[in-house]
Amino acid sequence: MMRRRTLIRAGATALAAPLAATALATWSAGPARAAQLPVRGVDLSSVPKGEDHGAVFRYPDGTVGDPVRILRDGGANWVRLKVWVDSPDGYHGKPQILTMARRAADLGMQTLIDFHYSDTWADPGRQDKPAAWAGLGGAALEQAVATHTADILGALAAQGTPAGMAQIGNEINGGLLWPDGSTDDWDALAGLLTSGSRAATAASPGTRIVLHLAEGGDLEGTRWWFDNAVARGVPFDVIGLSFYGYWHGTLEQLQANADAAATRYGKDILVAETGYPFRLGSKDGTPDLIGSSGQLVAGYPATPEGQLAWLRDITAVVSRVPGGRGLGVCYWEPAWTATPGNGWDPADPNSGNAWENQALFDYGDRALPAVTWA
């Protein structure tokens, strides 16, 4: 959330690049573009598995291309990649991370590594320990976090593609590595976060450390969490926030929270995840996360234009964070299309995709206007 690269090779990419320049420039001539932020990111964690299962990605004119290049041509300059410790399907591990970081670097893009510290999805409702760490606690668990973090970031640095940023956990509102790292025991949680942060810096000295929460519109919750982290000396450089308008409040609430956090902690603010549907109606039969008009954000229809408007407006929010502390926006899984075998459940090869109507490629595999939001 695999391994034979198909359909997207150098010949097609070379052909697509000049055609893309005209198409993407035409898109950009529409509504005023969003303010340019330092980080214009795309989470491409699903790309290796999708490609191995036959996913195709096209420029607007229908020419097949490399999804990383298509998104880069649209304006993205960072690639975000999640890491699982021992994934059930063999993806989201070091081999894929190294390959994707190389692909990004070859296109002039930087990499943000998103450590989940789990064998599967980690989010506010689920922070499962990796099976290999199940019996660990205290100093042993801290060491496991440090070793895993250093292994990934050290390997990236060794191949000449060091991570620009690294998240020590994913959407860790309630902590990580439950039950040990729950926010019910802030001292234990701080020990785990500090261990990961210090290991990251030691393995890759130039990498900036991100602490990432969901619910980006929750000012009180964000303040409570970061007050606890700061009081215990957890080292970090960037505050990461997920913000999905259909779950996390209004853009005004995001603005208030981002402004307050930047001012209170003196840190840059990154919207580490966002997304919006370009249509309703599932392609693969699996119900989509956002599948009905009642779930939409007022003023943003489920259309290509509505998706683009959402991205430009959330980017404008981040650009207004005081003191130049608005670092950027990352779109979550813009290339996770409905490809058989690349479903939601990593343990079930027959599972479908609940996200394809929020990708930045339409049901004909063509890049959507929102590719140019950055």
Side-chain angles (χ1 to χ4, degrees):
M1 164 208 129
M2 34 168 180
R3 296 175 219 255
R4 205 182 70 257
R5 303 270 186 259
T6 59
L7 299 175
I8 305 173
R9 293 314 348 136
T13 298
L15 174 64
L19 294 172
T22 300
L24 295 176
T26 299
W27 274 347
S28 301
R33 286 178 65 90
Q36 286 263 305
L37 293 170
V39 175
R40 306 179 299 278
V42 283
D43 189 314
L44 298 183
S45 301
S46 72
V47 164
K49 187 175 180 181
E51 289 179 342
D52 287 352
H53 284 80
V56 177
F57 302 92
R58 302 179 185 277
Y59 282 97
D61 67 353
T63 305
V64 174
D66 176 348
V68 187
R69 182 180 290 274
I70 292 171
L71 291 159
R72 191 285 308 268
D73 288 349
N77 63 351
W78 282 71
V79 171
R80 182 176 184 253
L81 302 167
K82 69 171 173 281
V83 184
W84 290 347
V85 176
D86 188 14
S87 167
D89 60 9
Y91 287 87
H92 315 303
K94 186 159 65 172
Q96 296 83 26
I97 297 301
L98 291 173
T99 298
M100 288 297 292
R102 170 58 62 199
R103 288 173 68 175
D106 286 349
L107 291 170
M109 305 172 80
Q110 296 195 67
T111 304
L112 163 58
I113 301 300
D114 173 16
F115 288 99
H116 282 223
Y117 300 113
S118 180
D119 292 336
T120 187
W121 302 103
D123 57 44
R126 181 177 187 179
Q127 295 283 340
D128 299 335
K129 281 186 183 180
W133 304 359
L136 302 181
L141 187 58
E142 290 180 6
Q143 185 58 53
V145 167
T147 300
H148 172 64
T149 304
D151 179 46
I152 299 294
L153 296 180
L156 286 166
Q159 78 165 8
T161 60
M165 291 188 281
Q167 289 180 212
I168 308 302
N170 185 75
E171 296 188 331
I172 51 176
N173 302 59
L176 45 70
L177 293 162
W178 291 344
D180 303 65
S182 165
T183 51
D184 290 339
D185 186 346
W186 253 104
D187 289 340
L189 172 56
L192 292 166
L193 293 172
T194 298
S195 180
S197 178
R198 288 178 175 166
T201 300
S204 186
T207 299
R208 300 184 76 192
I209 305 303
V210 183
L211 297 181
H212 171 217
L213 304 184
E215 302 176 16
D218 182 5
L219 190 155
E220 291 185 4
T222 301
R223 178 171 293 179
W224 171 83
W225 199 98
F226 277 98
D227 277 358
N228 273 287
V230 169
R232 291 164 174 82
V234 177
F236 70 100
D237 304 300
V238 176
I239 292 173
L241 300 170
S242 290
F243 190 81
Y244 297 97
Y246 40 73
W247 289 332
H248 295 153
T250 66
L251 288 171
E252 290 76 15
Q253 288 171 320
L254 172 64
Q255 188 80 70
N257 190 27
D259 292 358
T263 301
R264 187 176 183 86
Y265 305 109
K267 304 293 185 182
D268 288 346
I269 305 297
L270 173 71
V271 172
E273 293 185 21
T274 193
Y276 204 76
F278 66 88
R279 60 163 292 166
L280 300 177
S282 176
K283 181 179 180 180
D284 64 5
T286 296
D288 292 327
L289 286 171
I290 304 301
S292 69
S293 59
Q295 295 175 286
L296 300 176
V297 179
Y300 298 91
T303 62
E305 295 76 18
Q307 183 185 60
L308 175 58
W310 173 259
L311 272 169
R312 290 187 170 172
D313 287 351
I314 197 171
T315 299
V317 166
V318 178
S319 74
R320 291 192 293 265
V321 173
R325 289 289 189 182
L327 185 60
V329 173
C330 291
Y331 196 91
W332 195 74
E333 291 283 14
W336 194 7
T337 55
T339 304
N342 192 18
W344 193 260
D345 183 353
D348 179 6
N350 296 315
S351 65
N353 186 347
W355 184 257
E356 77 270 22
N357 71 326
Q358 298 193 66
L360 297 185
F361 293 86
D362 68 17
Y363 287 3
D365 304 319
R366 297 185 186 220
L368 288 156
V371 163
T372 66
W373 110 88

